[in-house]
């Protein structure tokens, strides 16, 4: 918990949500390696750079977990952390990489995505109007039918949320600031 703020878009609640989604996606309890990868996947964001957080978080996990896992398990954990981001363009090679990347994505719920995006924008100094506009642009760019969050979508995510994705894409096609305002107030 010391690596995460108590609140915020990447706070401790986010980690709890990712753990919960991982169990749903996997359909059974997590292994220690899966659990560790999820716990550490965003651990550098509290004091670090968002652009390099995947690599920075893997380095922290390497230092913190070296006494608890074999070299092989530690490599699985740190590789999963390195490739968890939606913008990751490489090829994921293992189940744990796919699981962490899948669980780190919100379920396809436009209201939850809009609220998180709005919160992020406000945390980074945007006023209300600019935050609303940011949400519209960001949601279309990342979560729309051809958004980068889906260009390298892990198979477990698609298997779990495929039908919900189709419904959300229809909503995003008509997204505007007024709709975002309504979504974040619900």
């Amino acid at each position: 918990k010391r690596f995460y703020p108590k609140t915020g878009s990447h706070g401790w609640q986010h980690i709890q949500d990712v753990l919960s989604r991982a169990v749903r996606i996997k359909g059974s309890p997590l292994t220690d390696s899966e659990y560790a990868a999820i716990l550490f996947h965003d651990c550098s964001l509290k004091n670090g750079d968002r652009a390099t957080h995947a690599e920075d978080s893997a380095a922290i996990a390497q230092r913190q977990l070296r006494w608890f896992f074999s070299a092989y398990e530690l490599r699985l954990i740190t590789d999963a952390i390195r490739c968890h981001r939606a913008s990751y363009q490489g090829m994921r090679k293992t189940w744990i990489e796919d699981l962490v990347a899948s669980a780190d994505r919100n379920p396809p719920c436009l209201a939850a995505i809009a609220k998180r995006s709005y919160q992020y924008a406000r945390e980074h100094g945007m006023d209300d109007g600019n935050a609303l506009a940011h949400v519209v642009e960001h949601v279309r760019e990342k979560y729309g039918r051809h958004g980068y969050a889906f260009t390298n979508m892990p198979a477990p995510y698609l298997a779990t949320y495929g039908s919900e994705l189709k419904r959300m894409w229809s909503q995003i096609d008509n997204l505007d600031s007024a709709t975002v305002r309504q979504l974040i107030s619900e």
Side-chain angles (χ1 to χ4, degrees), residues 11-124:
W12 184 244
Q13 184 61 51
H14 169 65
I15 299 306
Q16 292 174 310
D17 293 343
V18 174
L19 286 167
S20 178
R21 286 192 295 268
V23 171
R24 176 182 177 195
I25 290 166
K26 185 177 179 187
S28 62
L30 302 177
T31 66
D32 290 344
S33 297
E34 292 164 345
Y35 191 73
I38 290 167
L39 286 176
F40 281 87
H41 82 276
D42 281 340
C43 66
S44 71
L45 282 172
K46 184 175 182 181
N47 300 311
D49 183 352
R50 182 164 174 77
T52 61
H53 90 273
E55 192 62 43
D56 298 343
S57 294
I60 292 169
Q62 175 79 35
R63 286 191 306 272
Q64 296 293 317
L65 300 173
R66 68 181 182 264
W67 306 111
F68 304 104
F69 292 94
S70 70
Y72 172 75
E73 291 169 317
L74 197 53
R75 181 63 179 206
L76 289 174
I77 292 165
T78 56
D79 284 352
I81 294 168
R82 283 187 185 94
C83 67
H84 80 274
R85 294 193 70 182
S87 59
Y88 178 74
Q89 295 300 309
M91 185 77 151
R92 293 184 188 89
K93 301 175 282 306
T94 65
W95 163 255
I96 191 171
E97 291 174 4
D98 277 347
L99 179 64
V100 176
S102 294
D104 190 43
R105 288 161 172 76
N106 287 320
C109 171
L110 187 55
I113 291 168
K115 287 175 186 175
R116 184 175 157 97
S117 181
Y118 181 81
Q119 179 183 17
Y120 177 85
R122 295 297 298 210
E123 286 172 3
H124 288 82

Side-chain angles (χ1 to χ4, degrees), residues 99-164:
L99 179 64
V100 176
S102 294
D104 190 43
R105 288 161 172 76
N106 287 320
C109 171
L110 187 55
I113 291 168
K115 287 175 186 175
R116 184 175 157 97
S117 181
Y118 181 81
Q119 179 183 17
Y120 177 85
R122 295 297 298 210
E123 286 172 3
H124 288 82
M126 290 185 201
D127 63 31
D128 181 65
N130 286 326
L132 292 170
H134 163 80
V135 172
V136 172
E137 181 180 335
H138 175 71
V139 167
R140 283 188 178 145
E141 179 183 323
K142 184 173 181 178
Y143 299 102
R145 290 179 197 276
H146 304 289
Y148 69 84
F150 302 114
T151 58
N152 194 10
M153 183 58 60
Y157 186 92
L158 291 172
T160 304
Y161 299 114
S163 60
E164 294 170 55

Side-chain angles (χ1 to χ4, degrees), residues 166-181:
K166 289 178 184 174
R167 281 192 300 277
M168 185 180 77
W169 286 334
S170 294
Q171 293 175 300
I172 291 173
D173 289 344
N174 300 310
L175 191 63
D176 59 20
S177 292
T179 305
V180 171
R181 163 85 56 222

